[in-house]
Amino acid sequence: MQSYLKRSSSDLSNLFKYNANIRLVKGAYHENEDHAYQRKFDIDNSYFEMVKIFLQNKNIGQNQIFAIATHDCNLIEKSINLYSLSDLKKEHLHFQFLKGIREKLKMDLLDRGFIVEEYIPYGENWLPYSLRRIRERKSNILLLMRSLISS
Ligand SMILES: Cc1cc2nc3c(=O)[nH]c(=O)nc-3n(C[C@H](O)[C@H](O)[C@H](O)COP(=O)(O)OP(=O)(O)OC[C@H]3O[C@@H](n4cnc5c(N)ncnc54)[C@H](O)[C@@H]3O)c2cc1C
C-alpha cells in the first residue's frame, strides 16, 4: 500500500477484515493531487497514521504481517516506539529495505530482534525497473553500477 494515496488509510482498515498481509511504502510514482498527497509532510503523516491503525488493531491474524518498507529512520523509530507500547509479537512487524541501502540500520534492527527483509529485484525486466529507480533518485545509479559489476 502507498501512503501517498489519500484513500489508503480507509483501504487499510477494510483489508484488516481479511487479515491481509501489508507492505507499506510511501509511493514511487507521480500521482494526481486529487488522489495523492504531494508534500512529504502529508505523506509521512499518512504513513504513520497507517502504522498506528495496524498497531492499534485488536484483531491481528495469527500469521498476519505488516511490513514497514521505508528508509526513513525517523518513521522507523517512531513506529518502534509505538510498537513497544503494544502487545504485538515481533513476527507481525517486518522491516523492508531496498538492497544496498541503510546497511547499518538493518544490522541494528536485527540486533534488536526485528525481522528485516531486503527487496532484491531480478529478472528480464531489470532495465526498465532500474531506469524507474534512477528517475526516482539519481544516487540509485551507484546501486545499479555496483550490481552490474558484481554480476
Ligand atoms: C521494500 C520496498 C518495496 C517497495 N515497493 C514499492 C511498490 O510496490 N510501489 C511503489 O510505489 N513504491 C515502492 N517502493 C518505493 C517507495 O514507495 C519509495 O519511493 C522509496 O522507498 C523512497 O521512499 P522512503 O520511504 O525511503 O522515504 P524518503 O522520504 O524518500 O526517504 C527517507 C530517507 O531515506 C533516504 N533514501 C530513500 N531512498 C533512498 C535510496 N534509494 N538511496 C539512498 N537513500 C535513500 C532519503 O535520502 C531520506 O533520507 C518500495 C520501497 C521498498 C523499500
Side-chain angles (χ1 to χ4, degrees), residues 46-132:
S46 162
Y47 198 105
F48 192 56
E49 280 309 307
M50 291 175 74
V51 173
K52 270 194 209 159
I53 292 174
F54 175 70
L55 291 174
Q56 288 165 0
N57 175 14
K58 297 281 174 231
N59 298 311
I60 290 169
Q62 206 184 353
N63 299 315
Q64 198 176 351
I65 291 165
F66 188 82
I68 298 198
T70 177
H71 311 109
D72 191 325
C73 303
N74 184 34
L75 272 175
I76 291 172
E77 284 309 321
K78 273 170 64 176
S79 303
I80 291 176
N81 288 342
L82 196 62
Y83 158 82
S84 64
L85 303 174
S86 76
D87 304 325
L88 214 66
K89 293 199 190 118
K90 282 189 170 133
E91 293 88 83
H92 294 287
L93 190 68
H94 292 197
F95 291 91
Q96 300 184 340
F97 300 85
L98 300 185
K99 185 172 167 57
I101 301 169
R102 294 271 186 254
E103 304 298 11
K104 193 167 166 300
L105 178 59
K106 285 172 196 165
M107 297 314 291
D108 179 48
L109 290 170
L110 284 172
D111 287 345
R112 291 153 83 182
F114 290 106
I115 295 173
V116 173
E117 290 158 336
E118 278 194 324
Y119 180 103
I120 306 177
Y122 71 96
E124 290 174 3
N125 291 325
W126 64 273
L127 185 58
Y129 172 86
S130 303
L131 292 176
R132 279 203 306 279

Side-chain angles (χ1 to χ4, degrees), residues 2 25-29 40 70-71 101-102 136-137 140:
Q2 298 159 312
V25 300
K26 290 191 186 179
Y29 305 97
K40 178 172 162 55
T70 177
H71 311 109
I101 301 169
R102 294 271 186 254
E136 187 186 324
R137 187 176 295 270
N140 282 343

